[in-house]
């Protein structure tokens, strides 16, 4: 679906499994009600097609990545944080999340408007929202950004209405990014969808003061 020349070179260099839309169109579809290029989707059925036909076998590296930690968490009762906002600098985009204690999920808003998915119009929600702050650098005249994700830095994890300040760390391409609390213990997530909000170090964020 496109990418910078450097990113496409890294895919080949690192042996990342690559399913190119222009060669494997059956693995994707486009929503014509949305503007390109942000209208490309896939599904479990499409990826099953990829696996069955082994169209990506040439670029598939055999590896296994351990899961994050998950545990059931009851909705927050004390010191709860209900609203978070992430603003990209210069002010070109703002995303926010609002905690719904009745469902124990966070609902996503784009520019203050609730975000929906699909023709059925179901809200976009996540059980855990992670703020991952990364260094960035403009790498060409087009304005493409390089995000340093093989490193470590500050992170905040929002799950079940609670907020945990911590850090993230990733040592290699083949490893999963891990999130740790102030005692360097890995933070567990509420089972369900996890949304990692990668935010440049110069961007801003805000959240409600914890409600007692």
């Amino acid at each position: 679906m496109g990418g910078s020349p450097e990113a496409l070179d890294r895919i080949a260099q690192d042996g990342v499994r690559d399913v190119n839309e222009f060669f494997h169109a059956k693995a994707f579809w486009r929503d014509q009600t949305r503007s390109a290029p942000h209208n490309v989707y896939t599904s479990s059925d499409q990826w099953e097609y990829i696996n069955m036909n082994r169209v990506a076998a040439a670029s598939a590296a055999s590896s296994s990545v351990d899961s994050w930690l998950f545990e059931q968490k009851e909705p927050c009762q004390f010191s709860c944080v209900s609203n978070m906002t992430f603003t990209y600098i210069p002010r070109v985009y703002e995303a926010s999340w609002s905690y719904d204690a009745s469902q124990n999920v966070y609902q996503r808003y784009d520019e203050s408007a609730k975000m929906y998915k699909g023709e059925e119009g179901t809200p976009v929600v996540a059980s855990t929202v992670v703020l991952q702050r990364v260094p960035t650098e403009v790498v060409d005249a087009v304005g493409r950004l390089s995000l340093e994700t093989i490193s470590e830095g500050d992170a905040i994890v929002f799950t079940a209405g609670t907020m945990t300040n911590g850090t993230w760390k990733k040592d290699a391409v083949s490893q999963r990014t891990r999130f740790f609390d102030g005692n360097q213990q890995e933070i567990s997530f509420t089972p369900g969808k996890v949304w990692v909000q990668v935010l440049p170090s110069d961007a801003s964020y805000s959240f409600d003061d914890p409600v007692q």
Side-chain angles (χ1 to χ4, degrees):
M1 291 172 285
S4 70
E6 180 184 3
L8 296 176
D9 288 343
R10 286 289 303 273
I11 287 174
Q13 173 187 325
D14 295 333
V16 176
R17 184 172 186 179
D18 179 25
V19 182
N20 190 311
E21 178 199 10
F22 302 106
F23 294 100
H24 308 301
K26 288 185 178 180
F28 305 91
W29 79 87
R30 286 187 179 269
D31 181 350
Q32 299 304 322
T33 66
R34 300 176 65 90
S35 300
H38 306 292
N39 65 341
V40 183
Y41 299 89
T42 188
S43 69
S44 299
D45 289 341
Q46 262 84 350
W47 280 96
E48 184 62 23
Y49 158 81
I50 293 294
N51 289 329
M52 292 292 291
N53 290 275
R54 301 182 184 279
V55 295
S59 62
S62 59
S63 63
S64 61
V65 179
D66 292 335
S67 172
W68 285 316
L69 300 181
F70 291 90
E71 64 173 317
Q72 294 291 343
K73 299 176 184 288
E74 294 299 321
C76 176
Q77 299 293 325
F78 305 99
S79 299
C80 308
V81 175
S82 297
N83 298 287
M84 310 90 74
T85 300
F86 309 122
T87 305
Y88 291 79
I89 304 298
R91 174 62 171 83
V92 294
Y93 180 71
E94 187 171 85
S96 57
W97 295 85
S98 182
Y99 178 59
D100 180 354
S102 66
Q103 301 294 321
N104 204 19
V105 297
Y106 298 86
Q107 296 187 348
R108 182 176 172 86
Y109 292 76
D110 281 351
E111 299 295 347
S112 301
K114 185 180 289 188
M115 188 175 180
Y116 294 90
K117 61 180 179 180
E119 295 180 356
E120 69 278 14
T122 57
V124 173
V125 300
S127 298
T128 299
V129 178
V130 180
L131 167 59
Q132 179 181 353
R133 308 212 71 185
V134 301
T136 60
E137 178 185 8
V138 178
V139 295
D140 58 27
V142 179
R144 295 187 178 98
L145 281 179
S146 172
L147 285 74
E148 186 55 66
T149 57
I150 313 299
S151 183
E152 57 186 270
D154 295 332
I156 305 177
V157 175
F158 303 90
T159 191
T162 66
M163 181 185 78
T164 304
N165 288 290
T167 57
W168 64 270
K169 184 176 182 180
K170 182 172 182 173
D171 293 326
V173 171
S174 59
Q175 296 183 6
R176 181 182 292 279
T177 304
R178 300 286 180 181
F179 301 93
F180 303 92
D181 63 19
N183 295 318
Q184 291 303 300
Q185 298 298 309
E186 186 168 356
I187 301 170
S188 61
F189 302 153
T190 304
K193 297 181 178 69
V194 177
W195 189 298
V196 179
Q197 190 90 37
V198 178
L199 202 66
S201 298
D202 62 351
S204 64
Y205 63 92
S206 61
F207 47 83
D208 290 347
D209 291 333
V211 178
Q212 301 299 325

